[in-house]
Amino acid sequence: MQITVNTSACVGAGQCVMTAEDLFDQDDDGIVMLLDDSPDSSHEAGARRAASLCPARAIKVTD
Amino acid sequence: MSDATRIVIVGASVAGLTTAETLRAEGFTGSITLIGDEIHAPYGRPPLSKHVLTGEWSPDQASLSDPDELAALDLRLMQGARASSLDVAAHTVTVGDEVVRYDALVIATGVRARRMAGTRDLAGVHSLRTVDDVVALRTELGAAKHVAVVGAGVLGSEIAAAARKRGLDVTLVGRSSELRLGQVGTHLSSLIAALHRENGVDLRLGFDVTQVLGEGRVSAIVLSDGTVVPADVVVAAIGSLPATEWLNGSGLTLADGIVCDSNGLAAPDVYAIGDVARWRDDLTTAYTRAEHHLKATEQAQAVARLLVTGEESPAVVPFFWSELYGTKIQAYGRFPADEPLRTIAGEPGDGRFVAASVEDGRVVGVVGWNMPRDFRLARADMVASAAPALSSPITTDPIGARL
Ligand SMILES: Cc1cc2nc3c(=O)[nH]c(=O)nc-3n(C[C@H](O)[C@H](O)[C@H](O)COP(=O)(O)OP(=O)(O)OC[C@H]3O[C@@H](n4cnc5c(N)ncnc54)[C@H](O)[C@@H]3O)c2cc1C
Ligand code: SF4
């Protein structure tokens, strides 16, 4: 599984960190920071949930 | 419920598209028909009044999914197609001369912008709801000098901020004497007003627009105190109307939106979600409707999950964000009008803070002002019901007192 984030679309809502804090963090401006771009499959549900709740659709999860 | 094999969704914006995506993600293999009256592929509205209006983003950067993702959903997308009636007993929706049958129907038709009365034949008067609206407005702002924005809500504030960023003279007119921001209501009014003034907006609060002047094209607006505000472009952000006209006579309960139970059920096999829906809140027993992007997303996910798995989802807690002059404002929860906000981190005077709304000793809402990380922590605390350290109310802060 591969995760990418589009930091220029990110609105700093922090939904991703709330949903999967082992995968995402925020910088001081609230912009998403990806902690792990290719986590193992145990993180898949969390990653997909974070992507689906990101209001800016800034997170993409691909196989 | 889970025996539905034909799911029809009316309204192809964030709520409608998210429904389809969640149905597939939950393993639904039946047919999905997504009916939308706009000609564009589904897009999000929040960027329209922010980066798209300033010109930093092109309109297609507001798109919600690329063609491959849309194709992978394996659905019938009817674009430029308006549903004109619903027959609950027969389980059909009429679209043009086609009658579409459903086992389950999800209504996500959102709201439309309220237009300014008496301006139909006047060029230069705009509202902002769709991507077509923003394209038209951007073009006119490019040639304008002075824009008057009417509306004391967050949309009016965002449009005023974007127009200032484009270097235009901006007058912001509000009928009410306070500025509102989503579910936070007027609690942040003095801070938002200060932001506008610092950024050079001429703020006229507590005035009605009594007249729009111009021959063929707007030239000025007249306020209730007689002031004439010159304007070559007027943008009305004066509220919205739920898009339910096609449901008149359908038997659904319509009262400023579609009245639903706490799972979004409006009639047998008919659900409503997003801006058009008024869901029952089991906690407060009130029926509430809110125009929030993320609420539309979460209600869509809840209904799709219910349809596929039969499982009910926990109540959606309102979350709203906005950006004004680079200041990021985020709000989570409820903000009772008579409970003052209390700062829990930072200082309003420093332009960075997190504040809470407390009711009966419990934090029921948190708002962040340029402090995204602390806001997130406060929000997590609120969810975990941990009581943060509360300061005195921020309504007594020096900024509030100065205004
Ligand atoms: C400029 C702007 C900025 C915003 N900024 C923010 C923000 O910063 N944060 C935030 O939380 N929220 C924001 N919002 C609100 C957010 O965009 C809405 O909450 C969200 O769009 C609701 O989605 P929806 O799918 O329920 O309805 P809508 O987005 O209104 O979509 C409904 C769709 O249904 C279509 N339709 C209507 N009637 C019919 C019919 N009879 N047949 C077929 N199709 C039909 C409509 O044309 C539309 O495409 C903003 C809104 C606007 C306009
Ligand atoms: S949820 Fe999306 S918008 Fe919010 S911080 Fe994460 S990536 Fe950014």
Side-chain angles (χ1 to χ4, degrees):
Chain A
M1 178 184 42
Q2 211 49 48
I3 305 178
T4 54
V5 293
N6 176 357
T7 49
S8 63
C10 172
V11 297
Q15 291 286 120
C16 52
V17 194
M18 294 278 294
T19 314
E21 61 180 357
D22 36 2
L23 300 179
F24 306 98
D25 199 355
Q26 286 174 286
D27 69 14
D28 288 339
D29 292 327
I31 301 303
V32 61
M33 296 191 301
L34 192 53
L35 301 178
D36 189 348
D37 65 0
S38 43
D40 63 52
S41 57
S42 68
H43 289 96
E44 174 149 2
R48 290 200 188 275
R49 205 173 142 63
S52 78
L53 282 175
C54 170
R57 296 199 171 213
I59 301 169
K60 298 276 178 228
V61 181
T62 47
D63 298 324
Chain B
M1 222 167 284
S2 35
D3 53 0
T5 59
R6 288 169 301 188
I7 296 181
V8 172
I9 306 163
V10 183
S13 182
V14 61
L17 177 67
T18 303
T19 306
E21 290 171 336
T22 311
L23 287 171
R24 291 300 185 221
E26 293 287 341
F28 177 70
T29 54
S31 80
I32 301 176
T33 305
L34 182 57
I35 302 165
D37 64 1
E38 294 190 71
I39 54 167
H40 309 281
Y43 61 89
R45 301 183 201 279
L48 301 185
S49 51
K50 304 177 184 74
H51 304 98
V52 180
L53 188 56
T54 58
E56 292 155 283
W57 284 20
S58 69
D60 41 277
Q61 281 177 272
S63 160
L64 288 171
S65 68
D66 61 42
D68 291 347
E69 290 167 331
L70 214 48
L73 292 175
D74 185 23
L75 50 75
R76 178 176 178 212
L77 178 60
M78 298 172 71
Q79 286 178 293
R82 174 168 295 190
S84 56
S85 70
L86 161 67
D87 187 331
V88 172
H91 280 57
T92 57
V93 171
T94 305
V95 185
D97 42 23
E98 188 175 340
V99 175
V100 183
R101 290 191 62 82
Y102 65 81
D103 298 310
L105 174 71
V106 180
I107 301 174
T109 47
V111 299
R112 296 185 207 288
R114 194 190 288 272
R115 308 261 155 183
M116 222 161 156
T119 59
R120 189 185 299 263
D121 300 321
L122 218 49
V125 181
H126 293 256
S127 53
L128 177 50
R129 180 74 197 172
T130 67
V131 74
D132 294 338
D133 291 341
V134 77
V135 168
L137 180 56
R138 275 204 331 186
T139 307
E140 289 224 323
L141 289 185
K145 271 179 71 83
H146 192 149
V147 47
V149 182
V150 183
V154 62
L155 188 54
S157 281
E158 289 187 355
I159 294 166
R164 278 303 297 148
K165 186 143 194 184
R166 297 182 66 114
L168 300 171
D169 291 340
V170 177
T171 305
L172 177 58
V173 183
R175 170 182 291 173
S176 80
S177 55
E178 290 182 296
L179 294 166
R180 293 183 312 280
L181 187 131
Q183 81 269 33
V184 190
T186 58
H187 286 300
L188 299 170
S189 177
S190 56
L191 293 168
I192 298 170
L195 262 189
H196 281 308
R197 293 202 176 101
E198 279 160 24
N199 286 280
V201 170
D202 179 11
L203 203 54
R204 306 291 180 99
L205 294 178
F207 297 108
D208 249 329
V209 175
T210 53
Q211 238 186 313
V212 183
L213 304 179
E215 296 284 330
R217 178 169 189 95
V218 63
S219 60
I221 57 173
V222 184
L223 307 187
S224 43
D225 66 344
T227 312
V228 177
V229 177
D232 29 38
V233 171
V234 173
V235 193
I238 52 176
S240 51
L241 300 166
T244 53
E245 61 291 332
W246 65 286
L247 297 167
N248 289 333
S250 65
L252 297 191
T253 307
L254 305 177
D256 182 36
I258 303 169
V259 176
C260 304
D261 75 3
S262 53
N263 290 305
L265 191 71
D269 301 319
V270 178
Y271 299 81
I273 56 174
D275 283 10
V276 77
R278 183 175 286 282
W279 284 29
R280 182 186 147 94
D281 179 350
D282 283 340
L283 210 65
T284 61
T285 72
Y287 289 81
T288 56
R289 191 175 73 75
E291 298 177 12
H292 299 166
H293 178 97
L294 207 63
K295 189 212 64 176
T297 306
E298 292 190 73
Q299 289 185 339
Q301 293 176 344
V303 164
R305 226 174 277 135
L306 183 68
L307 284 169
V308 181
T309 67
E311 274 169 43
E312 297 183 3
S313 301
V316 176
V317 179
F319 174 80
F320 186 83
W321 82 95
S322 176
E323 195 174 325
L324 298 171
Y325 310 102
T327 291
K328 289 193 165 86
I329 308 163
Q330 300 164 311
Y332 180 77
R334 294 186 296 118
F335 297 85
D338 48 0
E339 297 290 349
L341 294 180
R342 292 157 186 281
T343 39
I344 53 180
E347 274 301 327
D350 297 342
R352 297 178 77 221
F353 67 92
V354 178
S357 179
V358 185
E359 189 183 53
D360 301 329
R362 281 189 54 234
V363 174
V364 293
V366 287
V367 56
W369 183 280
N370 258 343
M371 269 193 130
R373 285 176 65 111
D374 295 76
F375 166 78
R376 198 188 74 238
L377 298 176
R379 178 180 157 178
D381 277 350
M382 175 179 145
V383 172
S385 289
L390 298 171
S391 76
S392 48
I394 72 162
T395 42
T396 60
D397 76 73
I399 290 183
R402 251 196 293 132
L403 296 163

